[in-house]
Amino acid sequence: MLAFVSIAPEDHWEHMSAEIAPLVKMIEKSGLAYELGPIGTTVEGEPEAVFELLKELHLFMRGRSRRVSTLIKIDDQVDRPPGRIKDKVESVRRKMVG
């Protein structure tokens, strides 16, 4: 499963990197593959592990902010092996050549 997540504390709209850094540490600690992006992060893993991580991230931020906005987009393709987090991007790059 791939999941894109963007979590924002509604009471800290500017310079959120200090608020987001602990979330990235939590993702690293989970052991799941991830790609940090400018407006969100994509994680890859077994559905149970991904859902548990998403819940932990949201609740962590909720404990630090009066209001939290969490956006999640999931790509769950059963017959695909792990590694799609990199393969999907590389597939597009290969098609751009030529």
Side-chain angles (χ1 to χ4, degrees), residues 64-75:
R64 297 174 64 119
S65 180
R66 293 180 53 229
R67 187 175 187 181
V68 179
S69 175
T70 299
L71 172 74
I72 299 169
K73 182 176 182 179
I74 293 174
D75 180 357

Side-chain angles (χ1 to χ4, degrees), residues 66-93:
R66 293 180 53 229
R67 187 175 187 181
V68 179
S69 175
T70 299
L71 172 74
I72 299 169
K73 182 176 182 179
I74 293 174
D75 180 357
D76 189 11
Q77 192 171 354
V78 177
D79 61 341
R80 302 293 282 203
R84 293 178 58 225
I85 198 166
K86 299 240 186 260
D87 292 345
K88 289 176 77 77
V89 174
E90 288 306 314
S91 176
V92 171
R93 290 192 177 158

Side-chain angles (χ1 to χ4, degrees), residues 2-65:
L2 293 174
F4 172 85
V5 61
S6 178
I7 300 175
E10 294 285 329
D11 48 0
H12 296 94
W13 275 107
E14 291 189 43
H15 311 291
M16 288 190 291
S17 58
E19 299 296 323
I20 302 304
L23 299 176
V24 177
K25 287 182 181 180
M26 292 172 68
I27 294 169
E28 285 181 349
K29 187 177 176 185
S30 77
L32 296 176
Y34 75 96
E35 289 288 330
L36 179 63
I39 60 170
T41 301
T42 302
V43 295
E44 180 178 31
E46 292 298 318
E48 295 80 13
V50 171
F51 284 128
E52 184 61 30
L53 176 62
L54 297 174
K55 177 182 172 185
E56 289 174 14
L57 296 172
H58 178 82
L59 292 177
F60 177 84
M61 187 60 74
R62 193 172 78 179
R64 297 174 64 119
S65 180

